[in-house]
Amino acid sequence: MAQKDILQAITEEGEACGRANTSLDANPYRLAERKAAWIRGWHAGRDQQIAFEAHDTITPEEAAHNRMQITALRNRFSFLHREPSDV
């Protein structure tokens, strides 16, 4: 199985765990790349579950778009979180 396929499967596993209200601490992976993939999936699953519970469902595409917007804003303002010696 290709690395990309493995990471996709891990992301989907994390997403299912997020939808099932599994604790974030239940992440079974230690390798950073796999751990991060599971966490990304978990957050996507939680977003879907929270939206469903609020009866304000959004599509996976809308959730992805929202996450991209948040990431873009965080990147834009990341200088606010740097130490003076980093600038």
Side-chain angles (χ1 to χ4, degrees):
M1 187 180 264
Q3 180 70 7
K4 183 178 177 181
D5 295 333
I6 292 170
L7 292 177
Q8 180 62 36
I10 291 171
T11 300
E12 290 171 5
E13 176 188 350
E15 187 174 339
C17 289
R19 284 193 307 267
N21 292 323
T22 303
S23 171
L24 185 58
D25 295 329
N27 186 334
Y29 299 97
R30 290 187 174 197
L31 292 175
E33 192 173 24
R34 292 180 179 192
K35 187 173 190 168
W38 192 92
I39 290 171
R40 278 192 305 275
W42 185 89
H43 282 289
R46 287 300 303 139
D47 289 348
Q48 293 170 13
Q49 185 62 26
I50 290 168
F52 176 77
E53 290 171 357
H55 304 290
D56 182 33
T57 56
I58 60 173
T59 66
E61 293 81 14
E62 290 171 321
H65 175 75
N66 291 345
R67 283 192 301 278
M68 286 187 334
Q69 292 293 327
I70 291 168
T71 299
L73 287 169
R74 284 182 179 155
N75 289 338
R76 187 172 184 181
F77 295 105
S78 65
F79 68 91
L80 295 173
H81 300 287
R82 290 190 187 139
E83 294 294 323
S85 60
D86 294 342
V87 179

